[in-house]
Amino acid sequence: MRVGAACDIARAPRQGVTQRTDATAVRKDLRTADGVRIEARYEPYAGPATGSGTAGDPGAIVLAHGFTGALDRPAVRRAATAFTAHAAVVTFSFRGHGRSGGRSTVGDREVLDLAAAVAWARAQGHRTVATVGFSMGGSVVLRHAALYRAEYSRDHAESIFDSVVHRGRTDGRTADQAGARDAVGAAPPAPAATSAPTAASASASAAAHADAVVAVSAPARWYYRGTPPMRRLHWAIQHPLGRLVSRYGLRTRVHHRDWDPVPLPPVAAVPRIAPVPLLVVHGDQDPYFPVDHPLSLAEAADPEACELWLRPGFGHAENAADAALLDRIGTWAATRLHAPAARPHHGSRDPHAPRAAGSTPGHAPGPAPDATEGTDG
């Protein structure tokens, strides 16, 4: 999918206005690299001192919700509250969701939304940031981690900025590579409203990286229609009537244009994440994506940097995550934020979750990808 000009909804607060929601939490409108307004909320660390922090900094967790979610949805608030026992937490609403502007590209340009949220977390003074994504958000954190790397130079950051913002691509190719494909008429240019890259924006692109990544209930490949919920979701995002249902029934505004080009699929992104620690969490009762999706992700990842948890009885994304699972995820993320060199082998599994019976490893897909993921619940 490609995105046009941002469509801010009328009740949204003005750009750049910071609002205090209670004694500790702060709300702020962020602007993505392509100019979309994103609502975000920051909550400071509220848990007991563990003695394992870095110079008193507990780090931050940025929570990326699933399709149809938003930062004020009960399941997102419950997860955020659980994570504050382990680190400071930033929640936000993806474009087209909640009070954020724009229209959803169902996982493509949403990496720019996540990058803005990560950069804001660092602006609060946190040196280390973990991203935790659910369902669609899980695919976004994987592609974000592959695209935004701490070691990128300013020149490389400028190249990423040009390829992502000006050419509408979030697949990690350089501007020269993107330009070569445009030369043969593969895709139109990005909207003229996009501003030119600056040294500040390039530096922000290079700095918006994650120090640890957790993907919960994430798809491995695009265009998956193997379950009834996914077939319904494809209708909701690809059919005009389905988009009306999404807008007024699910309060999610979906862009009408198809992806062009198709973004890098998650299974092709995960090999690029190492040495950043990666945790893949999935349930054997997930109604959207069967276990071949997490197995494919873990198989494609660096075995020294990835860990896989297959949880018996767990369903899909933040709506199905209970307090115990959220606490375990928060503990894993906080441990990596304080000691990012501790990287388990992906063959190790959640000790409380034996491998699902009858599951077999999946295969990395070909170039066919998707913008689809399950509704978060």
Side-chain angles (χ1 to χ4, degrees):
M1 293 183 175
R2 291 179 64 85
V3 113
C7 303
D8 291 357
I9 57 180
R11 66 179 180 274
R14 292 184 294 112
Q15 174 188 2
V17 174
T18 299
Q19 300 176 326
R20 294 201 171 270
T21 56
D22 53 41
T24 56
V26 175
R27 294 182 76 119
K28 183 178 175 64
D29 280 350
L30 310 177
R31 284 284 171 178
T32 67
D34 61 343
V36 177
R37 180 188 49 77
I38 300 298
E39 64 167 349
R41 172 179 169 130
Y42 172 81
E43 297 168 79
Y45 172 59
T50 61
S52 58
T54 302
D57 177 16
I61 294 174
V62 177
L63 193 162
H65 61 75
F67 184 65
T68 77
L71 71 80
D72 287 322
R73 294 290 177 88
V76 175
R77 296 266 42 88
R78 179 167 52 84
T81 299
F83 291 156
T84 58
H86 305 278
V89 175
V90 169
T91 50
F92 65 99
S93 297
F94 280 121
R95 60 185 65 199
H97 294 73
R99 291 181 174 85
S100 290
R103 286 174 285 179
S104 175
T105 63
V106 200
D108 181 14
R109 283 201 167 191
E110 280 74 6
V111 296
L112 303 175
D113 308 348
L114 179 60
V118 171
W120 189 46
R122 293 191 188 281
Q124 307 309 305
H126 300 294
R127 297 178 57 190
T128 54
V129 177
T131 55
V132 179
F134 295 87
S135 197
M136 179 187 77
S139 72
V140 173
V141 300
L142 295 174
R143 293 179 50 249
H144 168 271
L147 180 60
Y148 292 83
R149 303 300 299 270
E151 68 271 19
Y152 280 163
S153 66
R154 173 180 163 180
D155 289 343
H156 192 69
E158 290 176 348
S159 177
I160 291 174
F161 184 92
D162 185 63
S163 66
V164 171
V165 176
H166 280 253
R167 303 181 188 276
R169 304 171 192 278
T170 57
D171 59 1
R173 288 176 294 170
T174 66
D176 289 342
Q177 290 171 319
R181 193 170 190 273
D182 284 344
V184 297
T194 302
S195 59
T198 63
S201 61
S203 298
S205 295
H209 66 279
D211 299 288
V213 181
V214 183
V216 184
S217 306
R221 53 193 181 275
W222 307 135
Y223 302 115
Y224 177 73
R225 293 177 172 84
T227 57
M230 286 306 300
R231 291 191 285 273
R232 290 194 295 269
L233 181 64
H234 275 83
W235 176 81
I237 65 176
Q238 293 179 332
H239 193 280
L241 180 58
R243 288 192 293 271
L244 283 175
V245 172
S246 295
R247 184 182 185 95
Y248 297 106
L250 303 176
R251 291 178 289 172
T252 301
R253 306 176 306 281
V254 180
H255 204 285
H256 67 280
R257 295 181 183 173
D258 291 334
W259 284 342
D260 184 9
V262 172
L264 190 73
V267 75
V270 290
R272 306 184 186 188
I273 295 176
V276 173
L278 169 63
L279 172 63
V280 177
V281 182
H282 213 87
D284 65 357
Q285 299 300 310
D286 192 310
Y288 291 89
F289 306 113
V291 294
D292 67 298
H293 284 259
L295 292 173
S296 295
L297 293 172
E299 200 64 35
D302 184 328
E304 296 302 319
C306 179
E307 184 173 354
L308 170 65
W309 294 354
L310 288 179
R311 299 282 297 181
F314 175 43
H316 186 73
E318 59 263 47
N319 280 358
D322 60 20
L325 178 57
L326 293 172
D327 181 69
R328 288 176 59 78
I329 291 172
T331 299
W332 186 95
T335 301
R336 272 67 190 176
L337 290 179
H338 302 150
R343 298 171 188 137
H345 189 283
H346 85 279
S348 64
R349 300 178 185 273
D350 184 347
H352 300 290
R355 179 168 178 167
S359 62
T360 56
H363 300 282
D370 145 310
T372 34
E373 70 101 72
T375 54
D376 51 324

